[in-house]
Amino acid sequence: MSDTTKIEIRALRKSFGSNEVLKNINLDVAKGGVVALIGPSGSGKSTLLRCINLLVVPDGGSVRVGDTRFAFGEGTRLPDVKALAKFRATTGMVFQHFNLFPHMTTLQNVMEGPVTVRRMAKADAEKLARAQLAKVGLAEKADQYPATLSGGQKQRVAIARALAMEPDVMLFDEATSALDPELVGEVLNVMQRLASEGMTMVIVTHEIAFAREVADRLIFMRDGVVVEEGPARQVIDNPQQAATRAFLSHFHRTGALPPATPAS
Amino acid sequence: MYQWDFGILWSYRWLFLNGLGVTVGFTVVIVVLGLVFGLFGAFGSLSRFRALRLTALAFIEAFRCTPILVQLIWFYYALPILAGVEMTPITASALALSLYGGSFYSEIIRGGIISIDKGQSEAGAALGMTPSQSMRRIVLPQAIKRMIPALMNQSIIQFKNTSLVSVLAVPDLVYQSQVAAHDSYRPLETYTAVAVAYAAILIPLTIIVRRGEKRLAVSE
């Protein structure tokens, strides 16, 4: 087992009914690597991301994160709920629509994983949660409910909630797509800092400029296959495939990240 | 013109109070038992296991789609013959009404659970929760809030349904008022008073339910 490859996906297949959304996908993410998944809607990139923490169970192939590997397909048994839960506890996920728990305060949202899943003492979990909230710049929002926060603040709380599990890997599923344009920057800033701290990250995004700055590798998907992959700057600045060129022509590819008040 | 004389009811006051006590007590029993059946029905119908799902569905539809009066009579007269167990009228009617109510509670509870956005349980799962942890910590606390008005409504209907147990000679308010009516030859006064008694208990309850609904609408 490799020390440097954190995520290893082999021959991954997934169909929803007769619609084959992933066709023989292979993916490696190095420890501390940041991979951006881009592609038109319906390309399978979100499904691929959800297969990494098995929120979507693949039909075939294998998924390894860290030391845990699951194989799927004929002759394999589906992992039981306990094994799945344990596996998912080591990967953090951030959703497009935040999915914060509306019946809990911001602090309780962030404490929930450590308390319920890691069985951490309340006092320790609170300390951890406050530290994570401070890290995303929202220490003073601890006692508010999610409904009172802006979209950008919600997403930063969601990142803090995922980080409170102290995961090895962070998965971002279009984390800025539901945000008003002026709020995108504060979330990207948090993500950029996380990447610079050495977190292994897989990011499904439409922020091409961000992917160019922050990701070290880029994967372009279409119709359930990887069309092109390589170093992020190289693929964005000089795409080899016609499909990649056509897709990227819709975006501003360079330029600074959107301005934001730094989250400190 | 009919000469109303409610004064004569006074001599039957203990009979009415007794009946009212049975009606209220009976309602408490069938609401609690019904909620237990409802929980089983709801979780059964949402189960991953097909056999459990089908069983729950069969229970819900059987009791939802037959009249409660038929069920009461069937439980008292037919079930003992089929199953070979004797049941008192009280047991038979408590069972029938609880199962009947349970089938409706099932649908309310199931509806409340599936009304919670799938992203909520996904977020729980992504944190590493098992399905039962995310049900307990994430989904149910939100779903229960949404279920409460409908559960209260169904319980109000259950309270009125207890009036049917008089056909099995369970001494509830309606049964006792029949006794009083036959004895006094004053059915108009008797049944009017009974109607008022039901309304006097239920109208405050419906006001509470409506307030609860309003508060719920504000918090969402």
Side-chain angles (χ1 to χ4, degrees):
Chain A
M1 208 153 278
S2 162
D3 285 338
T4 53
T5 317
K6 194 80 197 170
I7 302 173
E8 182 186 88
I9 286 171
R10 290 288 172 268
L12 200 73
R13 286 183 295 105
K14 178 67 188 178
S15 300
F16 292 117
S18 62
N19 181 21
E20 196 176 11
V21 278
L22 294 177
K23 304 165 185 166
N24 191 29
I25 301 279
N26 296 293
L27 172 73
D28 288 290
V29 183
K31 188 169 187 297
V34 177
V35 171
L37 288 175
I38 64 168
S41 59
S43 59
K45 55 193 192 303
S46 276
T47 306
L48 173 57
L49 191 78
R50 282 156 176 267
C51 281
I52 297 177
N53 68 351
L54 303 182
L55 272 188
V56 170
V57 179
D59 297 332
S62 69
V63 173
R64 176 175 72 78
V65 174
D67 295 331
T68 314
R69 182 176 173 277
F70 290 106
F72 303 91
E74 274 175 50
T76 61
R77 280 183 47 206
L78 287 180
D80 65 81
V81 290
K82 287 251 164 67
L84 272 179
K86 203 174 153 212
F87 176 67
R88 291 186 187 126
T90 63
T91 61
M93 187 173 224
V94 176
F95 298 87
Q96 180 177 359
H97 296 288
F98 329 125
N99 298 358
L100 291 178
F101 307 133
H103 58 303
M104 298 180 187
T105 64
T106 297
L107 182 69
Q108 288 167 334
N109 263 277
V110 183
M111 286 171 65
E112 185 57 29
V115 170
T116 303
V117 178
R118 294 169 71 190
R119 305 267 170 222
M120 198 182 269
K122 281 254 168 73
D124 296 338
E126 184 178 332
K127 216 154 122 205
L128 171 67
R130 287 195 189 278
Q132 294 297 351
L133 281 174
K135 206 174 156 188
V136 297
L138 292 171
E140 79 283 7
K141 302 283 186 191
D143 297 320
Q144 294 195 22
Y145 282 87
T148 66
L149 304 180
S150 74
Q153 291 170 334
K154 282 180 191 166
Q155 197 59 298
R156 287 190 278 151
V157 172
I159 293 172
R161 177 178 69 178
L163 290 176
M165 289 300 289
E166 299 178 320
D168 301 332
V169 168
M170 283 286 283
L171 310 173
F172 292 86
D173 190 5
E174 302 201 22
T176 58
S177 297
L179 298 177
D180 291 337
E182 76 273 19
L183 302 176
V184 168
E186 65 188 60
V187 173
L188 292 183
N189 261 319
V190 170
M191 290 166 66
Q192 186 174 28
R193 203 148 38 86
L194 207 53
S196 68
E197 286 167 8
M199 176 64 80
T200 307
M201 292 163 63
V202 181
I203 303 168
V204 170
T205 187
H206 290 294
E207 300 288 337
I208 302 298
F210 175 75
R212 189 180 178 279
E213 287 300 313
V214 176
D216 38 46
R217 277 162 39 81
L218 186 112
I219 292 174
F220 173 69
M221 287 180 70
R222 203 179 74 164
D223 298 330
V225 295
V226 173
V227 174
E228 184 165 355
E229 68 171 299
R233 280 178 189 237
Q234 188 183 310
V235 175
I236 290 168
D237 295 344
N238 190 15
Q240 299 300 304
Q241 302 290 325
T244 317
R245 272 200 295 276
F247 178 74
L248 287 172
S249 70
H250 299 297
F251 297 93
H252 297 289
R253 298 176 219 177
T254 54
L257 292 182
T261 44
S264 55
Chain B
M1 189 62 193
Y2 184 76
Q3 287 293 314
W4 293 91
D5 178 11
F6 283 99
I8 61 116
L9 296 177
W10 183 245
S11 54
Y12 298 102
R13 60 192 181 278
W14 295 116
L15 205 61
F16 285 126
L17 274 177
N18 254 326
L20 193 63
V22 170
T23 291
V24 170
F26 213 81
T27 305
V28 171
V29 169
I30 64 166
V31 164
V32 171
L33 271 180
L35 284 170
V36 172
F37 288 131
L39 274 174
F40 278 107
F43 282 104
S45 65
L46 291 170
S47 165
R48 283 180 293 149
F49 304 107
R50 198 180 140 80
L52 223 57
R53 269 203 316 274
L54 290 179
T55 312
L57 226 64
F59 151 67
I60 291 169
E61 295 310 333
F63 283 92
R64 233 164 38 126
C65 302
T66 49
I68 177 61
L69 187 56
V70 174
Q71 289 170 23
L72 280 167
I73 294 167
W74 193 88
F75 266 75
Y76 186 59
Y77 293 105
L79 190 63
I81 295 168
L82 294 175
V85 283
E86 277 303 315
M87 272 193 288
T88 64
I90 290 187
T91 314
S93 40
L95 203 58
L97 274 167
S98 304
L99 287 165
Y100 176 78
S103 69
F104 285 92
Y105 289 137
S106 287
E107 286 297 278
I108 294 168
I109 295 169
R110 190 181 71 91
I113 289 171
I114 61 175
S115 79
I116 302 301
D117 178 35
K118 201 165 157 271
Q120 290 289 307
S121 51
E122 275 187 349
L127 285 175
M129 289 187 191
T130 60
S132 67
Q133 281 174 331
S134 106
M135 179 59 72
R136 232 179 24 247
R137 300 281 312 162
I138 310 300
V139 177
L140 273 186
Q142 298 179 59
I144 285 170
K145 255 172 72 179
R146 292 191 193 175
M147 294 172 201
I148 281 174
L151 290 176
M152 287 286 284
N153 245 329
Q154 188 58 41
S155 301
I156 284 171
I157 294 171
Q158 284 291 82
F159 180 74
K160 295 191 292 179
N161 281 342
T162 58
S163 61
L164 294 167
V165 301
S166 57
V167 298
L168 300 185
V170 174
D172 76 323
L173 182 58
V174 169
Y175 181 84
Q176 300 292 33
S177 64
Q178 280 167 356
V179 173
H182 288 153
D183 189 63
S184 63
Y185 300 104
R186 286 285 187 172
L188 270 67
E189 282 85 349
T190 311
Y191 291 120
T192 305
V194 167
V196 169
Y198 276 103
I201 290 177
L202 285 184
I203 286 170
L205 276 179
T206 59
I207 291 170
I208 292 172
V209 173
R210 205 160 296 166
R211 279 207 191 132
E213 276 171 354
K214 238 177 239 162
R215 198 172 321 139
L216 194 74
V218 170
S219 77
E220 284 210 349

